[in-house]
């Protein structure tokens, strides 16, 4: 069984701070690490009783199961990749499963090649349209009546948590992917947890209101009030859009920017499987090709006797509304259709994520609405040089990722330090912060 490293999260709520960080996910923890400055008082106020946010690893049957982020995307540029082994964890460089389809039940090799070609052509049209300054829903660039449009929408669910009709052309084109994808064998959530060890976190402390009417910011929380000279807010966009954290006086531009960056939904179901030797390790299956209402299946991740099922967008929301058992029932039906009826008795559910139902997330990761490609920059704009926003949603090109959130947390910390007249030290590429 993998052992978690538990940071001290019993810190009492201080009466005052130099900098308060709201949220102990990747962005908040990165900010807190960057705020370790002589003489500076800072703490992270976290609504949950744990740290990590949407980076969360569970132990089941001796296996580490990532319920949220699981891939070190753009690993050759991802700063978190270099932190894995120094934290005593294992960096796994096995190529991702989407490069190897298991069997040819779902699509013949020729059809697989045809789909890859169609998707590449679609993405090229998106890039070209964005370069011309065009905006609108990315689905407008589908081939009318194209055979693979539904499958591309299923892929969009995995990439964006939403269908391409809900995704901005320019924002989708802005995402940067080096094509290098690695994993942490003990769990991505475990890495984030270890990186948070020793940081001052006040757990079970949701912030409800930020009074900015006076010279000090007054944060009202479930555990009392605290004053701060500056605040870094890393709450998910759906919470900001719903004003779960209320600013007084209001900040309508901030709320509007958050609403333009809604969280899509990607849900995971981890299944134990008997007779795993029947399936190629680290390979992938998708369900149907004629609808986006289908799941993707990672067979034997890390060579383990497991299947990791992905559900996204409208399908994930519908299944969440029915409850956890609905995910298992859907997966059993699809896997039986793909691999034979005996799959029903060969699989056993271990854990399912419900990020949309989680009151402190309300979704998985952000996408920009059509027409709102500038929303990430708007959300990242400091308020009064003392309120700083950070998270995956403020990342211009690594949005939707833990490392995008991490880099944004560091960026916001540097801005906050400068606002207090402190030198954050050099940081390449941060000239505009």
């Amino acid at each position: 069984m993998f052992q978690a490293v538990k940071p001290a999260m019993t810190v009492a709520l201080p009466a005052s701070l130099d900098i308060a960080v709201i949220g102990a996910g990747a962005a908040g923890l990165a900010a807190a690490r960057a705020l370790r400055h002589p003489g500076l008082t800072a703490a992270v106020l976290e609504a949950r009783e744990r740290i990590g946010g949407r980076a969360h690893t569970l132990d089941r049957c001796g296996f580490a199961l990532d319920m949220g982020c699981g891939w070190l995307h753009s690993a050759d540029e991802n700063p978190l990749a270099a932190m894995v082994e120094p934290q005593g964890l294992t960096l796994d460089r096995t190529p991702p499963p989407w490069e190897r389809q298991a069997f040819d039940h779902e699509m013949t090799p020729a059809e697989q090649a045809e789909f890859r070609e169609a998707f590449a052509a679609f993405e090229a049209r998106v890039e070209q349209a964005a370069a011309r300054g065009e905006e609108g829903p990315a689905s407008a660039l589908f081939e009318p009546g194209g055979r693979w449009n539904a499958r591309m929408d299923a892929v969009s669910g995995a990439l964006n948590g939403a269908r391409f009709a809900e995704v901005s052309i320019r924002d989708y084109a802005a995402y940067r992917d080096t094509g290098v994808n690695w994993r942490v064998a003990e769990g991505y959530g475990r890495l984030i947890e270890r990186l948070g060890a020793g940081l001052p976190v006040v757990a079970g402390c949701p912030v409800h209101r930020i009074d900015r009417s006076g010279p000090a910011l007054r944060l009202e929380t479930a555990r009392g009030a605290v004053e701060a000279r500056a605040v870094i807010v890393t709450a998910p966009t759906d919470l900001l859009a719903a004003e779960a954290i209320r600013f007084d006086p209001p900040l309508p531009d901030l709320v509007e920017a958050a609403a333009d960056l809604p969280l899509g939904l990607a849900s995971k179901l981890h299944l134990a499987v008997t007779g795993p030797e029947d399936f190629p390790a680290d390979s992938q299956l998708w369900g149907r090709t004629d609808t986006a209402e289908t799941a993707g299946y990672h067979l034997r991740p890390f060579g383990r006797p497991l299947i990791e099922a992905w559900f996204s967008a409208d399908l994930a929301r519908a299944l969440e509304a029915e409850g956890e058992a609905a995910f298992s029932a859907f997966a059993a039906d699809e896997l039986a259709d793909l691999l034979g009826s005996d799959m029903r008795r060969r699989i056993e559910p271990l854990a399912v994520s419900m990020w949309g139902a989680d009151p402190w997330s309300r979704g998985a990761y952000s996408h920009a609405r059509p027409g709102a490609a500038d929303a990430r920059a708007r959300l990242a704009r400091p308020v009064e040089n003392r309120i700083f926003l950070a998270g995956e949603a403020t990342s211009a090109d690594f949005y939707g990722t833990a490392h995008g959130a991490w880099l944004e947390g560091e960026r916001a910390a540097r801005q906050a330090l400068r606002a207090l007249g402190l030198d954050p030290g050099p940081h390449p590429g941060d000239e505009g912060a």
Side-chain angles (χ1 to χ4, degrees), residues 24-27 46 48 50-57 66-70 188-189 192 234-238 262-264 268 355 358 360-366 390-393 400-402 405:
E46 167 56 44
R48 296 183 177 93
R50 63 169 180 83
I51 67 172
R54 287 163 281 172
H56 184 42
T57 302
D66 274 322
M67 305 310 297
C69 55
Y188 207 152
I192 300 301
T234 72
T237 53
D238 278 26
L263 296 186
K268 288 183 182 179
W355 293 112
D358 184 322
W360 308 119
S361 295
R362 304 192 188 183
Y365 35 79
S366 66
E392 58 83 14
T401 68

Side-chain angles (χ1 to χ4, degrees), residues 52-398:
R54 287 163 281 172
H56 184 42
T57 302
L58 293 179
D59 290 327
R60 293 289 187 273
C61 301
F63 299 114
L65 308 179
D66 274 322
M67 305 310 297
C69 55
W71 289 95
L72 291 151
H73 294 301
S74 298
D76 51 340
E77 295 185 7
N78 185 328
L80 293 171
M83 303 180 193
V84 175
E85 291 171 339
Q87 290 296 322
L89 302 173
T90 308
L91 187 60
D92 184 88
R93 295 176 172 84
T94 303
W98 51 86
E99 296 180 5
R100 291 178 309 287
Q101 177 173 295
F103 316 112
D104 292 323
H105 303 164
E106 172 206 13
M107 293 192 292
T108 67
E111 288 173 321
Q112 293 169 43
E114 183 183 332
F115 170 71
R116 286 193 294 268
E117 183 178 337
F119 196 80
F122 163 70
E123 290 200 311
R125 292 193 294 272
V126 171
E127 294 282 350
Q128 293 160 7
R132 294 191 296 266
E134 297 177 15
E135 177 60 309
S139 61
L141 299 173
F142 280 170
E143 257 186 46
R147 176 186 178 185
W148 300 110
N149 290 351
R151 169 52 62 87
M152 290 195 285
D153 252 344
V155 172
S156 178
L159 297 176
N160 305 297
R163 306 297 180 231
F164 276 123
E166 302 170 66
V167 174
S168 153
I169 288 173
R170 287 169 49 205
D171 188 64
Y172 183 70
Y175 183 77
R176 190 156 58 89
D177 181 7
T178 69
V180 180
N181 299 278
W182 298 335
R183 298 191 94 177
V184 183
E186 296 84 1
Y188 207 152
R190 185 120 320 120
L191 171 65
I192 300 301
E193 181 184 64
R194 292 195 179 194
L195 292 172
L199 295 175
V201 177
V202 185
C205 188
V207 176
H208 303 303
R209 178 172 176 265
I210 300 176
D211 183 348
R212 59 188 189 91
S213 60
L217 298 166
R218 178 181 170 83
L219 283 66
E220 296 179 2
T221 84
R223 295 180 55 177
V226 58
E227 289 193 344
R229 297 168 64 194
V231 62
I232 297 172
V233 181
T234 72
T237 53
D238 278 26
L239 270 70
L240 297 174
E243 298 188 82
I245 300 173
R246 185 164 57 88
F247 292 91
D248 190 11
L251 292 173
D253 291 345
L254 185 154
V255 172
E256 181 183 341
D260 280 337
L261 296 167
L263 296 186
L265 187 58
S267 302
K268 288 183 182 179
L269 167 67
H270 294 273
L271 300 160
V273 60
T274 58
E277 61 278 1
D278 291 343
F279 314 114
D282 281 300
S283 61
Q284 179 172 273
L285 277 177
W286 279 94
R288 296 169 59 181
T289 61
D290 60 342
T291 176
E293 304 294 299
T294 188
Y297 301 92
H298 181 175
L299 306 181
R300 296 180 59 201
F302 302 104
R304 297 167 182 167
L306 304 172
I307 296 175
E308 183 180 288
W310 272 75
F311 308 81
S312 57
D314 299 338
L315 173 61
R317 294 197 185 277
L319 293 175
E320 276 204 5
E322 295 181 44
E324 291 187 11
F327 288 92
S328 301
F330 189 96
D333 287 344
E334 281 210 319
L335 289 171
D337 287 342
L338 288 166
L339 300 174
S341 60
D342 69 334
M343 286 301 296
R344 296 182 187 279
R345 61 176 178 78
R346 295 177 62 178
I347 55 175
E348 177 186 354
L350 298 178
V352 63
S353 65
M354 300 278 283
W355 293 112
D358 184 322
W360 308 119
S361 295
R362 304 192 188 183
Y365 35 79
S366 66
H367 57 277
R369 296 187 192 278
D374 65 341
R376 300 192 191 279
R378 287 189 283 125
L379 187 64
R381 194 173 298 146
V383 178
E384 300 172 340
N385 203 32
R386 60 177 182 165
I387 299 173
F388 306 92
L389 278 291
E392 58 83 14
T394 62
S395 177
D397 51 3
F398 286 135

